[in-house]
């Protein structure tokens, strides 16, 4: 029961760290994750703290490492991940490491810069060759005239009008050619037309290959264009427009010969560049490969170092400036380990004076620490999601381990579905060490973290499924039904016994579509089914009426037991916090109220079940009306459940009044008691009015809450009904259709039907319904159960631990 | 909400900084987060400025990409003022024969558009309109300033003011037509903007060859000063006469009185302070577009403050560090 029932006892310890050994001590503490540091420098801003320079250095190292990782990823070199996490680097190595990394960064930056330059060069040359090749086709038909282009022979057909005037002006024909981004072509052409007023001729061709943009590195489609224009002025404008649209402009060869020369030159240069580029890339790869070997451990080391300095920034200096003082919360059970870690740290740094600690008494509330293992972690998380428990308060997680899966199963009760869920969870549990599951994302991770909850939920569902006798909405007849139809026939009874009984004969059976079995006829009902609901109910038309009555009563009974248990747990809290008056004045009246009203309701339910048999069932009174009458005191006599019932009612009424009166007195008396307590603690000013108000509100809230919470437990019935009905509908809509087809072709149809049935079962009944039942079970625990005793106003214990750190790092890394 | 969004310059100055890198560490604790993390040392003021601008631009793009009509038009209107500034900046640069690349670096990223770089081709305003800006959102503002005058410094200034005038009028009309809370919030802000321009134009025109009639044509034709105040302003010949005009208006009287008072505030500072107040008030209303405008303007003011503080730190003018415009 120990640690899960209550959070651990904590103590505030003061660590005196010799300034020479502080780093090593913290490193040792971080590896163990024993203590939570308190910030002693809260009013000093981040950059004025003692170790800000070191933190800056760590950040600088981090920046370099991020750059390295980025480059390594870009080069597609696998990052080896070390299994063990290396310890924080000794201070002597840090400088060395920094130097190494800086050198590496400079080298890498230079090589990549060279590489980029070469690449850009290469791209430009490739673009140029493409352009030359494409533009050739623009003017091919005029090849023979090319040397004499100045007389515009090529344009004769295009612009006869301009021809003469142009020649008169003696303007020169110029060409601008280059490549332009596909998306900008249209705007470019428009702008050209508007600025140059048509004194240009633009020809385009799309490049078949997509080329990389030298600036952004994106692979996009390009257009090759050739602009022919007249006159200097326009030429300037055209060039400016080309600049504006970031065109890559290349000189346009005037003659065919020139073109050929350029092309040849380009080809050789491209060849050269390729070889150089390859060599550079090989070198870069070598450098990166070497860096990749150590980068993982470096990243972790730097992270640890930074964390240590952050913690050191929280410490204050003592007067002599020789030693750092840290205040930590530590579980009492771990104090030995803490001492040992400090010794270890001191020994490692070879200091003459060891660091030591002493425990200081405190009145502050310590953080809540509840040790969990992989099994209890999930349940603790459910409770923590509502609120982290106050220090040393009863932890509902312990009871949640059983009650949560049980309440879930009440809603999810189906043998088949529960078994599937159990198998899935079992699969997760058996493979929990599989690395892929450990690092899975999002939804899968959710299932993985809750695998033990799922396991228990599945198991309990199997159990409730057996009780409900539901397996994929069908009942299983294991022991043989307790009902016998043939006993209803006239012929099976001797005539002497037939008198009072309504029995069947052939004509009755033939003419009625619905027949009712009468349990009061001897031989029809041979005793209850050994386990759960009799399978014959699966065939009955009044099945729902029967199950509803059963499930409704069951959920009220379960709910009241659950809530009463919550109130009883409250007593444990009061005992622990030495508030005895609260037991007499709060818990016992609460229990009385709960048991006298709702406990009595349960009693009535059981009483009616036990006392009234099949013969007397017709005279049995309604529990509901009896219950209401208990409050209203009707003048007219009803026939109660048992003799002397009215007496109980009267007594109850009186005690009721008494309790409520008492409650008021309680409050006042309670207040005086509280007063004494407060004086001792001397922390809060006693305010009678305020406490009276909260107590009155609490009493009212509790009384109303009991009624509404009891009603709230009816969701157990509602959801279990919905689940059963939904699976029934699924069976009727799919499997029954599939099974009804005749034997020859039935198999062919049955296969897809079963597949569809399986898919729908998993997605609708298991996942969707399971989720809703899960949520309702959570609600029942958070609201109905925990509000009876759980305050949940604590803060979680967050130890300074490297293990929390490195797992976080892995995520960051995968994102980067 | 405001508290979370904006870095309070008070916080920045109260704690003494001695290095810009200290400022960086402090900014890490604010909404800006780690935006300077990947900058290599040494950190300069201009690096901080460009990074902040980039951040604002990213945020604005985010708004814009998720906006529907008429909000997207509203946001386009917001960018127009930056576009005008950029165009003018580029033309001035072309006049002084500076390279386009150099000036592009100084352009505000919010007012960036593709045709921008070709601005220096144009020689006259009508050229500019016909060839380059006809397809940009700036085109409708050109109706008043089509002329064949060569673009010299004065003409560029005139062009800027005319563009601004028609831009503000169009924006005002848009907000007015939109009605609802947007109009309630935006109209006063734009009216103030118009009046401020009128004052600034008047102030800048003292001692230049700009005639009084020309000056009057530059005033935006709405706002609290319109029409009587503007007519008076057009006649003003020095600062005192301008102040007399302002004294007729309850809003502007205290502003002009604050000039030169404690701390030697300039008219510009006073106007900035008033603008910040109006923008902060925009956050008090709900269901309107004014918040986008106010958010961007306040962010800009915040950036100016941070840059100011950073400059003070880097130039060791620690005495002047407190003369920023407080947000709220």
């Amino acid at each position: 029961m120990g640690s899960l029932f209550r959070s651990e006892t904590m103590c505030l310890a003061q660590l005196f760290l010799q300034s020479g050994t502080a780093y090593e001590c913290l490193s040792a503490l971080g590896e163990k994750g024993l203590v939570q540091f308190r910030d002693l420098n809260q009013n000093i801003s981040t950059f004025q703290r003692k170790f800000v320079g070191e933190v800056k250095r760590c950040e600088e190292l981090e920046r370099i490492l991020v750059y390295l990782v980025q480059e390594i990823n870009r080069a597609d070199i696998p990052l080896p991940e070390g299994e063990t996490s290396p310890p924080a680097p000794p201070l002597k190595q840090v400088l060395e490491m920094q130097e190494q990394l800086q050198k590496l960064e400079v080298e890498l930056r230079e090589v990549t810069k060279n590489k980029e330059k070469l690449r850009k060069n290469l791209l430009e040359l490739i673009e140029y060759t493409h352009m030359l090749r494409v533009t050739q086709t623009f003017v091919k038909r005029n090849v023979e005239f090319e040397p004499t282009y100045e007389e515009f022979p090529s344009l004769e057909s295009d612009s006869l009008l301009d021809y003469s005037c142009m020649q008169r002006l003696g303007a020169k024909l110029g060409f601008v050619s280059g490549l332009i981004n596909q998306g900008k072509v249209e705007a470019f052409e428009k702008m050209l037309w508007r600025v140059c007023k048509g004194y240009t001729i633009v020809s385009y061709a799309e490049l078949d290959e997509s080329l990389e943009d030298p600036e952004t590195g994106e692979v996009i489609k390009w257009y090759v264009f050739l602009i022919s224009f007249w006159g200097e002025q326009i030429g300037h404008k055209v060039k400016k427009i080309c600049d504006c649209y970031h065109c890559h402009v290349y000189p346009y060869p005037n003659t065919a010969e020139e073109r050929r020369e350029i092309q040849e030159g380009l080809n050789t240069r491209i060849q050269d560049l390729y070889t150089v580029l390859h060599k550079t890339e090989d070198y870069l790869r070598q450098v990166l490969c070497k860096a990749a070997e150590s980068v993982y451990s470096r990243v972790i080391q730097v992270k640890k170092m930074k964390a240590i300095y952050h913690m050191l920034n929280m410490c204050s200096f003592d007067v002599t400036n020789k030693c750092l003082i840290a205040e930590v919360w530590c579980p009492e059970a771990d104090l030995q380990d803490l001492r040992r870690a400090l010794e270890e740290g001191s020994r490692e740094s070879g200091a003459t004076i060891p660091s030591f600690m002493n425990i200081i008494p405190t009145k502050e509330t310590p953080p809540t620490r509840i040790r969990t293992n992989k099994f209890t972690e999930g349940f603790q998380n459910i409770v923590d999601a509502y609120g982290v428990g106050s220090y040393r308060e009863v932890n509902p997680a312990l009871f949640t381990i059983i009650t949560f899966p049980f309440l879930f199963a009440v809603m999810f009760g189906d043998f088949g579905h529960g078994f599937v869920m159990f198998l899935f969870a079992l699969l997760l549990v058996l493979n929990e060490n599989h690395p892929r599951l450990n690092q899975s994302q999002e939804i899968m991770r959710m299932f993985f973290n809750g695998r033990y909850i799922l396991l228990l939920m599945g198991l309990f569902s199997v159990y409730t499924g057996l009780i409900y006798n539901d397996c994929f909405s069908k009942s299983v007849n294991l022991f043989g039904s307790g009902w016998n139809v043939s006993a209803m026939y006239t012929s099976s009874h001797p005539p002497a016994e037939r008198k009072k009984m309504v029995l069947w004969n052939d004509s009755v059976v033939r003419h009625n579509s619905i027949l009712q079995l009468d349990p009061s006829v001897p031989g029809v009902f041979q005793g209850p089914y050994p386990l759960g609901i009799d399978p014959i109910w699966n065939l009955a038309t009044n099945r729902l009426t029967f199950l509803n009555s059963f499930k409704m009563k069951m959920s009220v009974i379960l709910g009241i037991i659950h809530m009463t248990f919550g109130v009883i747990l409250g007593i444990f809290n009061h005992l622990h916090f030495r508030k005895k008056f609260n037991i007499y004045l709060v818990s016992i009246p609460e229990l009385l109220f709960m048991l006298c009203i709702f406990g009595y309701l349960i009693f009535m339910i059981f009483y009616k079940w036990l006392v009234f048999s099949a013969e007397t069932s017709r005279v049995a009174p309604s529990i509901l009306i009896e219950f209401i009458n208990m409050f209203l005191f009707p003048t007219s006599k009803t026939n109660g459940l048992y003799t002397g019932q009215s007496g109980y009612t009267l007594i109850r009424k009186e005690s009721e009044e008494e309790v409520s009166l008492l409650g008021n007195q309680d409050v006042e008396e309670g207040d005086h008691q509280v007063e004494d307590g407060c004086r001792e603690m001397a922390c809060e000013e006693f305010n009678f009015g305020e406490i009276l108000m909260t107590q009155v509100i609490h009493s009212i809230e509790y009384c109303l809450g009991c009624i509404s919470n009891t009603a709230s437990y009816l969701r157990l019935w509602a959801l279990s009904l919905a689940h059963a009905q939904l699976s029934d509908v699924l069976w009727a809509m799919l499997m029954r259709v599939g099974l009804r087809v005749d034997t020859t072709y039935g198999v062919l149809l049955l296969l897809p039907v079963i597949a569809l049935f399986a898919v729908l079962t998993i997605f609708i009944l298991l996942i969707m319904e399971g989720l809703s039942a899960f949520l309702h079970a959570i609600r029942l625990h958070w609201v109905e159960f925990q509000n009876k005793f759980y305050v949940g106003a604590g803060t979680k214990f967050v130890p300074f631990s490297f293990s929390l750190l490195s797992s976080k790092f892995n995520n960051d890394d995968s994102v980067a | 909400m405001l508290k979370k969004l904006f870095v309070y310059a008070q916080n920045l100055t109260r704690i003494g900084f001695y290095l810009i890198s200290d400022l960086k560490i402090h900014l890490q604790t604010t909404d800006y987060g780690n935006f300077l993390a990947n900058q290599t040392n040494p950190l300069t003021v201009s690096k901080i400025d460009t990074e902040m601008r980039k951040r604002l631009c990213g945020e604005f793009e985010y708004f814009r990409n998720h906006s529907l009509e008429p909000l997207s038009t509203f946001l386009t209107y917001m960018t127009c003022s930056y576009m005008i500034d950029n165009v003018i900046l580029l033309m001035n640069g072309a006049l002084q024969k500076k390279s386009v690349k150099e000036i592009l670096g100084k352009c505000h990223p919010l007012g960036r558009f593709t045709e921008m770089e070709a601005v220096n081709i144009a020689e006259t305003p009508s050229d500019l309109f016909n060839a380059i800006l006809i397809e940009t959102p700036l085109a409708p503002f050109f109706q008043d300033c089509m002329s064949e005058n060569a673009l010299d410094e004065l003409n560029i200034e005139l062009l800027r003011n005319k563009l601004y005038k028609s831009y503000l009028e169009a924006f005002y009309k848009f907000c007015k037509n939109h009605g609802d809370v947007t109009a309630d919030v935006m109209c006063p802000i734009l009216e103030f903007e118009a009046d401020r321009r009128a004052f600034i134009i008047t102030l800048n025109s003292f001692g230049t060859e700009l005639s009084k009639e020309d000056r009057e044509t530059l005033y935006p034709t709405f706002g609290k000063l319109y029409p009587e105040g503007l007519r008076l302003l057009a006649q003003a010949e020095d600062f005192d006469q301008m102040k007399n005009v302002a004294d007729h208006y309850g809003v502007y009287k205290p502003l002009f009185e604050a000039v030169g008072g404690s701390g030697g505030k300039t008219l510009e500072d006073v106007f900035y302070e008033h603008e910040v107040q109006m923008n902060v008030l925009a956050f008090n209303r709900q269901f309107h577009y004014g918040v986008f405008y106010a958010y961007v303007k306040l962010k800009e003011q915040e950036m100016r403050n941070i840059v100011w503080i950073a400059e003070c730190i880097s130039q060791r003018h620690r005495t002047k560090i407190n003369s920023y415009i407080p947000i709220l």
Side-chain angles (χ1 to χ4, degrees), chain A residues 33 190 282 349 392 521 571 579 615 629 632 769 808:
Chain A
K190 263 191 206 164
D282 277 348
S349 61
R392 301 288 291 159
V521 174
I571 296 180
K579 289 184 187 164
E615 287 86 13
N629 283 345
L632 296 182
E769 276 281 291
K808 216 190 249 171

Side-chain angles (χ1 to χ4, degrees), chain B residues 251-302:
Chain B
V251 192
Y252 300 117
K253 194 177 172 191
L255 294 187
F256 273 81
E257 275 164 4
V259 174
S262 58
K265 281 179 187 164
T266 63
L267 187 61
E268 209 176 354
D269 290 343
V270 175
F271 279 142
Y272 271 138
E273 267 171 31
H274 189 70
E275 190 192 1
V276 164
Q277 273 170 20
M278 296 184 88
N279 285 328
V280 168
L281 286 182
F283 282 91
N284 287 352
R285 305 286 298 269
Q286 285 173 343
F287 309 115
H288 64 105
Y289 296 153
V291 277
F292 295 101
Y293 185 86
Y295 177 76
V296 171
K297 290 284 166 192
L298 286 178
K299 269 279 168 201
E300 275 208 303
Q301 186 56 52
E302 174 192 272

Side-chain angles (χ1 to χ4, degrees), chain A residues 112-164:
Chain A
T112 35
K113 208 172 102 192
N114 277 341
K115 197 190 100 181
E116 287 303 313
K117 223 173 175 177
L118 286 174
R119 259 186 89 73
K120 206 170 161 186
N121 228 323
L122 184 67
L123 269 173
E124 273 169 9
L125 291 181
I126 290 173
E127 277 179 6
Y128 197 5
T129 48
H130 278 302
M131 191 213 84
L132 284 178
R133 184 171 52 78
V134 176
T135 46
Q136 205 169 12
T137 58
F138 291 164
V139 285
K140 201 175 242 171
R141 48 171 192 231
N142 302 321
V143 158
E144 61 270 31
F145 297 112
E146 234 184 325
T148 55
Y149 71 90
E150 268 172 83
E151 283 149 60
F152 316 111
S154 59
L155 299 160
E156 265 177 331
S157 52
D158 292 333
S159 53
L160 272 175
L161 269 176
D162 280 344
Y163 172 59
S164 53

Side-chain angles (χ1 to χ4, degrees), chain A residues 56 190-191 194 241 244 246, chain B residues 25 114 117 130-131 134-135:
Chain A
K56 267 187 205 165
K190 263 191 206 164
M191 170 91 88
R194 283 200 304 258
I241 292 172
C244 160
H246 301 283
Chain B
I25 291 178
T114 33
E117 291 166 51
N130 283 331
I134 192 161
E135 278 185 358

Side-chain angles (χ1 to χ4, degrees), chain B residues 114-328:
Chain B
T114 33
E115 292 90 345
M116 200 166 78
E117 291 166 51
V119 158
N120 52 2
I121 299 169
E123 272 148 13
T124 64
S126 48
D127 239 13
L128 188 68
F129 171 70
N130 283 331
I132 293 139
L133 299 178
I134 192 161
E135 278 185 358
T136 63
L138 292 182
F141 312 138
F142 261 86
Q143 61 215 10
D144 289 340
C145 37
M146 304 287 271
S147 69
E148 294 297 330
N149 297 337
L151 285 167
D152 55 15
E153 216 161 303
L154 181 69
N155 279 334
I156 290 174
E157 201 51 39
L158 284 180
L159 179 67
R160 179 219 291 272
N161 286 319
K162 278 180 184 164
L163 279 178
Y164 243 109
K165 174 190 165 172
S166 31
Y167 155 68
L168 278 177
E169 282 164 5
F171 197 7
Y172 185 74
K173 209 168 128 195
F174 173 81
C175 292
K176 193 121 207 163
N177 286 343
H178 187 275
D180 221 2
V181 190
T182 303
D184 290 353
V185 172
M186 279 310 289
C187 286
I189 293 179
L190 288 175
E191 277 166 12
F192 170 71
E193 185 70 28
D195 294 342
R196 173 163 78 169
R197 283 209 74 77
F199 281 123
I200 299 284
I201 289 168
T202 319
L203 193 65
N204 288 343
S205 69
F206 295 148
T208 59
E209 53 203 80
L210 192 70
S211 69
K212 284 175 180 166
E213 291 74 44
D214 281 348
R215 197 203 288 173
E216 198 171 358
T217 59
L218 297 181
Y219 296 150
T221 55
F222 66 98
K224 296 221 163 47
L225 295 178
Y226 178 77
E228 299 85 3
L230 291 181
R231 209 173 301 135
L232 290 172
L233 261 191
Q235 302 305 322
E237 270 164 9
D238 54 25
F239 185 78
D240 287 329
Q241 287 184 22
M242 196 164 96
K243 199 173 167 185
N244 286 338
V245 178
D247 282 347
H248 296 301
Y249 295 88
V251 192
Y252 300 117
K253 194 177 172 191
L255 294 187
F256 273 81
E257 275 164 4
V259 174
S262 58
K265 281 179 187 164
T266 63
L267 187 61
E268 209 176 354
D269 290 343
V270 175
F271 279 142
Y272 271 138
E273 267 171 31
H274 189 70
E275 190 192 1
V276 164
Q277 273 170 20
M278 296 184 88
N279 285 328
V280 168
L281 286 182
F283 282 91
N284 287 352
R285 305 286 298 269
Q286 285 173 343
F287 309 115
H288 64 105
Y289 296 153
V291 277
F292 295 101
Y293 185 86
Y295 177 76
V296 171
K297 290 284 166 192
L298 286 178
K299 269 279 168 201
E300 275 208 303
Q301 186 56 52
E302 174 192 272
M303 278 157 48
R304 274 196 292 267
N305 288 344
I306 292 174
V307 168
W308 171 261
I309 290 166
E311 283 287 357
C312 283
I313 294 169
S314 68
Q315 293 174 14
R316 313 214 169 271
H317 273 301
R318 299 198 47 84
T319 43
K320 285 189 181 170
I321 205 164
N322 280 317
S323 38
Y324 52 85
I325 314 293
I327 298 175
L328 219 92

Side-chain angles (χ1 to χ4, degrees), chain A residues 324-380:
Chain A
L324 278 165
I325 301 171
E327 278 182 18
V328 295
W329 289 114
C330 179
E332 263 171 19
D334 286 341
L335 280 175
Q336 276 307 321
D337 283 343
L338 177 61
R339 283 207 184 90
R340 215 169 300 138
L342 282 180
E343 275 167 29
E344 227 170 80
S346 315
R347 202 177 333 118
E348 222 162 84
S349 61
T352 44
I353 318 160
S355 300
F356 59 97
M357 53 163 282
N358 61 9
I359 296 164
I360 43 177
T362 177
K363 278 180 188 149
E364 283 174 73
T365 9
T368 309
R369 158 113 204 213
I370 295 166
R371 257 178 243 267
T372 54
N373 53 27
K374 61 183 177 181
F375 177 71
T376 52
E377 195 187 3
F379 297 99
Q380 187 64 50

